[in-house]
Amino acid sequence: MDNKISKIGVFTSGGDAPGMNAAIRATIRAAIYYNKEVYGIMRGYEGMIDNEIVKMGARSVGNILQRGGTILKTARSEMFRTKEGREKAYQNLKKCGIDALVAIGGDGSFTGLHKFYEEFNIPSICIPGTIDNDIAGTDYTIGFDTATNTAVEAIDRIRDTALSHNRLFFIEVMGRNSGYIAVNCGIAGGAVAVILPEETTSFDQLFTLLEKGGKTNKKSSLVVVAEGSKIGGASELAKMVAERSNYFDIKVTILGHMQRGGSPTYFDRVLASKMGVAAIEGLLAGKSDVMVGIRDNKMVYNEFNTIMTQTHEIDSEALRIAKILSI
Ligand code: F6P
């Protein structure tokens, strides 16, 4: 397995996700294993434009496998959206002799890299790293498992206090466009309802469900709301319920960015390690403009165009189960 690639640049981009460090480590070590030079590009596309590029070795990624965040830092770059920004980035890569790229991030990062590939023809592979699990072409993204476990642990704690006071809690979890975290937290945390961006539960339906819980002697209730809910976030929904009835003692918890931090689970570490190795092996086998994914427990390479025109549909079976179990 070899080709003309000699120096590979690696970076993280978009929102950080637990397991990104494990993916960085795997990518860098796999590149070195195959006798390639490897460079870390700091702060994603921003560092590419500002020439913050550092040579990496096998030891420079020691002791990061278990750490949250990303040692390469990350950013959402406005400048890279411009032709001028991308041209500057290309010149910096050329100066270092970088002739292939691995991006670890979400769909915004992939779109940027696809454009860059079209303009400058640098072999490029993406690794899906985002807690949202909202990328087509992979059953899981790096960070989703850890973030969901973190949220479930928080929900369990909230349940203790909710039950002690007979309270109704609205708990908001991350997910701008995706309800993956919310629906899985709903099942694992025993929520009475989950409100997702993809679903059309109306406020009236939610209220009826809550009333039913009251009538059937539910002592406390948890409603898990995805950040991108179309009928209002946790605070708004709490207000709407309070305006309609004074029966409930209502509290709101927004879990926020705590879901993005912390040590990755075993699942995310292994996934990130497999994806990092697959990215390098794919590049060296001549693949480009593709995203590594895991489907039915096997590594796959998805053409950019096939994933960007699709959405990672919410698991309808999970949704069905959440509804059955919330009675
Ligand atoms: O894409 C991951 C994510 O955590 C989303 O769930 C959330 O909406 C967004 O990032 C928050 O982004 P930022 O950290 O830039 O506020």
Side-chain angles (χ1 to χ4, degrees):
M1 177 191 304
D2 211 350
N3 65 14
K4 290 197 187 68
I5 290 170
S6 66
K7 295 185 183 179
I8 302 172
V10 185
F11 60 98
T12 47
S13 169
D16 64 318
M20 276 185 165
N21 277 328
I24 293 168
R25 171 182 178 269
T27 306
I28 288 173
R29 290 210 170 154
I32 293 168
Y33 178 86
Y34 287 113
N35 300 315
K36 304 296 170 189
E37 271 186 46
V38 60
Y39 290 81
I41 301 166
M42 303 302 293
R43 300 188 299 114
Y45 296 115
E46 290 283 292
M48 215 183 272
I49 293 168
D50 296 340
N51 203 18
E52 288 176 52
I53 301 175
V54 231
K55 177 113 195 273
M56 305 294 281
R59 295 288 81 77
S60 51
V61 288
N63 201 29
I64 66 165
L65 173 67
Q66 76 288 5
R67 281 168 52 194
T70 156
I71 60 158
L72 295 178
K73 312 263 182 170
T74 187
R76 302 189 203 272
S77 175
E78 282 308 315
M79 189 64 185
F80 197 74
R81 290 178 196 273
T82 66
K83 174 84 183 153
E84 187 199 344
R86 293 192 296 275
E87 181 63 45
K88 219 168 154 203
Y90 175 68
Q91 292 308 331
N92 288 331
L93 295 181
K94 220 164 99 177
K95 259 187 261 159
C96 285
I98 293 175
D99 50 12
L101 289 170
V102 176
I104 306 163
D107 52 0
S109 318
F110 301 169
T111 305
L113 196 59
H114 172 67
K115 186 118 194 85
F116 199 62
Y117 171 74
E118 282 187 332
E119 287 171 349
F120 301 105
N121 200 26
I122 295 190
S124 308
I125 290 209
C126 298
I127 296 177
T130 164
I131 64 165
D132 289 355
N133 205 28
D134 59 347
I135 298 176
T138 188
D139 294 340
Y140 296 104
T141 56
I142 296 167
F144 164 68
D145 185 67
T146 308
T148 308
N149 274 296
T150 303
V152 168
E153 194 187 323
I155 290 169
D156 287 348
R157 288 166 195 261
I158 292 168
R159 176 180 285 282
D160 289 345
T161 176
L163 192 57
S164 304
H165 287 265
N166 290 351
R167 277 175 171 158
L168 165 62
F169 266 83
F170 285 86
I171 304 165
E172 190 169 298
V173 297
M174 272 189 164
R176 219 176 350 208
N177 303 309
S178 166
Y180 258 95
I181 296 178
V183 72
N184 286 289
C185 281
I187 296 174
V192 67
V194 287
I195 309 294
L196 316 176
E198 299 90 339
E199 243 235 323
T200 49
T201 304
S202 67
F203 176 69
D204 285 341
Q205 284 169 322
L206 172 66
F207 191 81
T208 307
L209 207 66
L210 296 175
E211 261 189 327
K212 198 172 130 211
K215 285 183 194 142
T216 56
N217 209 22
K218 252 190 204 288
K219 296 290 180 235
S220 66
S221 291
L222 308 180
V223 178
V224 176
V225 186
E227 183 189 7
S229 147
K230 299 279 185 289
I231 57 166
S235 304
E236 283 162 280
L237 289 173
K239 206 162 149 243
M240 283 154 82
V241 172
E243 275 165 11
R244 192 174 285 191
S245 163
N246 61 7
Y247 174 81
F248 301 101
D249 179 2
I250 306 171
K251 295 284 171 185
V252 173
T253 303
I254 296 174
L255 297 182
H257 285 78
M258 59 106 74
Q259 294 159 95
R260 289 237 297 255
S263 182
T265 57
Y266 111 83
F267 181 88
D268 276 328
R269 295 181 202 194
V270 174
L271 179 67
S273 301
K274 286 181 177 172
M275 285 182 166
V277 172
I280 293 300
E281 291 185 342
L283 268 180
L284 300 185
K287 293 190 188 304
S288 192
D289 201 25
V290 298
M291 183 196 81
V292 173
I294 187 160
R295 300 299 288 271
D296 300 327
N297 217 21
K298 287 197 177 57
M299 300 316 290
V300 292
Y301 298 93
N302 301 276
E303 300 286 328
F304 176 85
N305 289 325
T306 63
I307 49 164
M308 291 328 257
T309 51
Q310 293 168 23
T311 46
H312 192 190
E313 297 291 339
I314 200 80
D315 178 357
S316 57
E317 185 56 10
L319 207 52
R320 194 178 73 84
I321 288 167
K323 282 187 182 149
I324 291 175
L325 298 181
S326 67
I327 54 167

